[in-house]
Amino acid sequence: MLVLLVEDDAALAAQLIDFLQHENIEVDYAASVSSAKEIAAQTIKYSRYDAAILDMDLPDGNGISLISEQILGQGVPVLFCTAATALEDKLAAFSAGALDYITKPFDLPELAVRLKLLAKKQGAHAENTFELDSLLIDFNTQIAKRGERILVLSPQQWLLLSLLTKHAPNPVSKEDILCKVWPDQDVNNNMYKSLLTRLRKNISRDSERELLHTIKGQGLVLRKHSE
Amino acid sequence: MLVLLVEDDAALAAQLIDFLQHENIEVDYAASVSSAKEIAAQTIKYSRYDAAILDMDLPDGNGISLISEQILGQGVPVLFCTAATALEDKLAAFSAGALDYITKPFDLPELAVRLKLLAKKQGAHAENTFELDSLLIDFNTQIAKRGERILVLSPQQWLLLSLLTKHAPNPVSKEDILCKVWPDQDVNNNMYKSLLTRLRKNISRDSERELLHTIKGQGLVLRKHSE
DNA sequence: AGGCATGGTAACCATAAGGTAACAGTGTAG
DNA sequence: CTACACTGTTACCTTATGGTTACCATGCCT
């Protein structure tokens, strides 16, 4: 079992790594948001994490951004482990997609148990695929197909598509999309429109049913029928 | 979404039930192990719980026994909510099969979030719909139907309709509507009238019953009969 | 009646919002 | 260096949203 640990307190991290290894859990370690991105980018090419342990307060940002920018890839369960005890911090983490939240100080065995629970559920439960009409997405292999045709998606398109699948069949607001696909960047509406056209072209070709519908003023949805 | 709550502190239980109901979660309540068994036995015949919230210390036993004796049936996710903070208690709960563990005192919203997470993973989803006569609104998917006809609503119309459903079957004053639909804008009565006509046209067509009634001098209501 | 306030409907149309295609700058692999 | 993929930019088209106006209905008061 392979886990990503992002934690700026080196002493705590060392302790954690040591403990987890005794539990037969391999750990990739990063001390900051930026290094986490690098490590994850390399690792994800070859395998995927079974879970991630994130800290909230990091020297160069907030752990939440690692989720919202989808650095970890689809379906990697996230456990926040942080000193922040405020309710709003917890809610922010959960709404970003965290699956558990534990506050410092904590007992190592509890963390390990919760971690295993997350990873187990992930492995047992989710084959980590999404299916709609003849569209099939496998998040493990990062392959998307429409029928037998394999879709070649750019990074942006992949990001948007996985964001939509996560919420389907519920819509995602344009604002959400903008700040997830282009985090801390200048965005304009044209960039959004371009991306959308490109993704549509890839997903539906010829007479294939359109699956990507915009609800005016509301957002984007992935579903069979426009409304 | 249906949840079983087993908790011997009546005041806390009442508070919990109240909060959860506002979150659209139905609650079956038991104050002891024995009554939990009875209630569960009855309920499970007809449906199954989407999750269970268990206390540890109960007058006639330990909540853990409800899991180990398989009272709840297979696959019902369990969240322990208890005053016991000791690591060994937590480990006991997790090893019995609990999926989450939260210690008192806690924040209600956090409990609700964790609960929904559990249930969601299990496959239930909190419904968020409104129904009146043949009008059906799903706020998750943002789809409104009148019978089988799907309503295509503009952003303004959505706003107004959801405002009305929130208060139904009570009226909403015109002033309220004006400042919710057109926040910090110049509004005039014509804009209001137009919006109203358009929404009416969408909701009721041909011989369908009118559901949107204005009460002179009071405001707007969503209900079957004008009075 | 007449005047007037409140509500309701229909039609008009400027404009925002959405959609597409084509081009250009950048980076990267070979 | 070349070729290509990716993405930001621009231009242009289409649609329907929503503000506006004009006109009608009803109820109420003097």
Side-chain angles (χ1 to χ4, degrees), chain A residues 144-214:
Chain A
K145 288 180 167 188
R146 185 75 195 257
E148 284 310 304
R149 195 178 86 250
I150 290 182
L151 307 187
V152 185
L153 302 179
S154 75
Q156 277 188 345
Q157 290 171 41
W158 189 263
L159 206 60
L160 175 55
L161 183 57
S162 60
L163 182 61
L164 290 170
T165 58
K166 202 182 284 178
H167 294 260
N170 300 336
V172 183
S173 79
K174 193 159 155 182
E175 290 73 42
D176 275 5
I177 294 174
L178 292 184
C179 70
K180 297 247 162 125
V181 178
W182 293 272
D184 44 60
Q185 277 184 50
D186 273 350
V187 204
N188 64 54
N189 198 42
N190 292 326
M191 290 156 72
Y192 171 80
K193 290 198 294 180
S194 282
L195 170 56
L196 197 43
T197 311
R198 285 161 181 157
L199 183 54
R200 279 218 180 90
K201 253 196 211 163
N202 274 325
I203 291 183
S204 308
R205 191 163 289 193
D206 307 326
S207 60
E208 287 165 338
R209 188 208 305 265
E210 186 57 68
L211 299 176
L212 215 42
H213 311 280
T214 89

Side-chain angles (χ1 to χ4, degrees), chain B residues 58-200:
Chain B
L58 293 165
D60 56 348
N62 188 312
I64 289 183
S65 63
L66 286 169
I67 308 184
S68 52
E69 293 177 28
Q70 309 226 334
I71 306 300
L72 294 169
Q74 200 66 23
V76 174
V78 171
L79 182 154
F80 267 89
C81 174
T82 164
T85 61
L87 176 60
E88 58 199 25
D89 288 319
K90 296 185 184 177
L91 294 181
F94 279 119
S95 83
L99 293 185
D100 205 345
Y101 193 108
I102 190 170
T103 56
K104 301 172 189 174
F106 59 92
D107 291 304
L108 288 170
E110 182 182 353
L111 176 66
V113 168
R114 287 180 180 272
L115 196 62
K116 285 179 184 170
L117 262 186
L118 287 191
K120 183 173 155 196
K121 214 166 295 166
Q122 204 52 36
H125 67 288
E127 299 209 355
N128 193 7
T129 64
F130 174 90
E131 202 172 347
L132 176 68
D133 198 75
S134 63
L135 175 68
L136 185 85
I137 307 169
D138 185 327
F139 290 102
N140 290 324
T141 59
Q142 302 231 30
I143 292 180
K145 288 181 167 187
R146 185 76 195 257
E148 284 310 303
R149 196 178 87 248
I150 289 178
L151 309 186
V152 184
L153 302 179
S154 76
Q156 277 188 343
Q157 291 170 39
W158 260 108
L159 211 59
L160 176 55
L161 184 57
S162 61
L163 183 61
L164 291 170
T165 57
K166 236 171 258 170
H167 295 257
N170 300 321
V172 184
S173 79
K174 193 160 160 182
E175 289 74 42
D176 276 3
I177 294 174
L178 292 185
C179 69
K180 294 255 163 107
V181 179
W182 292 272
D184 45 59
Q185 276 185 51
D186 274 351
V187 205
N188 63 54
N189 198 41
N190 290 327
M191 290 155 73
Y192 171 80
K193 289 198 295 180
S194 281
L195 171 56
L196 197 41
T197 320
R198 285 162 179 155
L199 183 54
R200 280 218 180 89

